[in-house]
Amino acid sequence: KNEVEQSPQNLTAQEGEFITINCSYSVGISALHWLQQHPGGGIVSLFMLSSGKKKHGRLIATINIQEKHSSLHITASHPRDSAVYICAVKISNFGNEKLTFGTGTRLTIIP
Amino acid sequence: KAGVTQTPRYLIKTRGQQVTLSCSPISGHRSVSWYQQTPGQGLQFLFEYFSETQRNKGNFPGRFSGRQFSNSRSEMNVSTLELGDSALYLCASSRREDSRWTFGSGTRLTVV
């Protein structure tokens, strides 16, 4: 079992829909990142979370440390939100912090 | 404000050779991390440097090494290249170890 699981793997929605992407992890973490990767390959860091909730524009990220789960929400989705969304967790192991990535959620927003 | 600059953008090397990739972080950013992305394995963490010291390391063999200079620029070296090292190599910089990253556009390495 992977240390980081994302769901769904693929998501297609109509423009304007509310989108939720989930990330679950199996070990204790020090931080969780949400990343966005567009078809050209460029990666943008959206959020870094260690607790609670963060909001930036139409994007909201939440994390529940006890349940080892984070969600990324997109309100009023737009075709330009089409991208792969990746969560990454920072895991401490004997003083070495290692980043482990989910396999990504491919989001397609249809006009 | 200039972003994270990675050079070169594309590189073709022969199996057995070595390669050095460069990453110039955003001015004022002292943390630089490196990642490998392949279609099969996705994104994988290589290492992270802060103030010229390697702070964290992923699960890659010793052929993969890096360093960070006093101006925060970082280099990554892969020796004895294998076909499986063909990948997009990304670096990211952040102001501190616990802040958001800014990614470069990557270096696409092809090993033939």
Side-chain angles (χ1 to χ4, degrees), chain B residues 97-112:
Chain B
E97 290 162 288
D98 60 350
S99 48
R100 270 175 59 191
W101 308 314
T102 300
F103 282 83
S105 301
T107 293
R108 187 164 294 281
L109 172 66
T110 302
V111 182
V112 296

Side-chain angles (χ1 to χ4, degrees), chain B residues 2-6 23-26 29 32 91-94 101-106:
Chain B
V4 177
T5 304
Q6 288 190 247
C23 174
S24 294
I26 289 174
H29 285 195
V32 174
C91 84
S93 74
S94 60
W101 308 314
T102 300
F103 282 83
S105 301

Side-chain angles (χ1 to χ4, degrees), chain A residues 33 35 37 41 43 45-48 86 88 90 95-99 101, chain B residues 35 37 43-45 48 55-59 90 97-101 103:
Chain A
H33 295 256
L35 311 174
Q37 186 169 31
I43 295 180
S45 174
L46 299 174
F47 296 102
M48 191 196 75
I86 303 166
K90 214 168 197 186
N96 183 52
E97 285 195 316
K98 192 184 78 162
L99 275 157
F101 294 86
Chain B
Y35 308 88
Q37 187 174 36
L43 267 168
Q44 296 185 87
F45 169 66
E48 180 181 24
R55 294 300 181 100
N56 299 302
K57 191 174 184 308
N59 298 330
L90 293 152
E97 290 162 288
D98 60 350
S99 48
R100 270 175 59 191
W101 308 314
F103 282 83

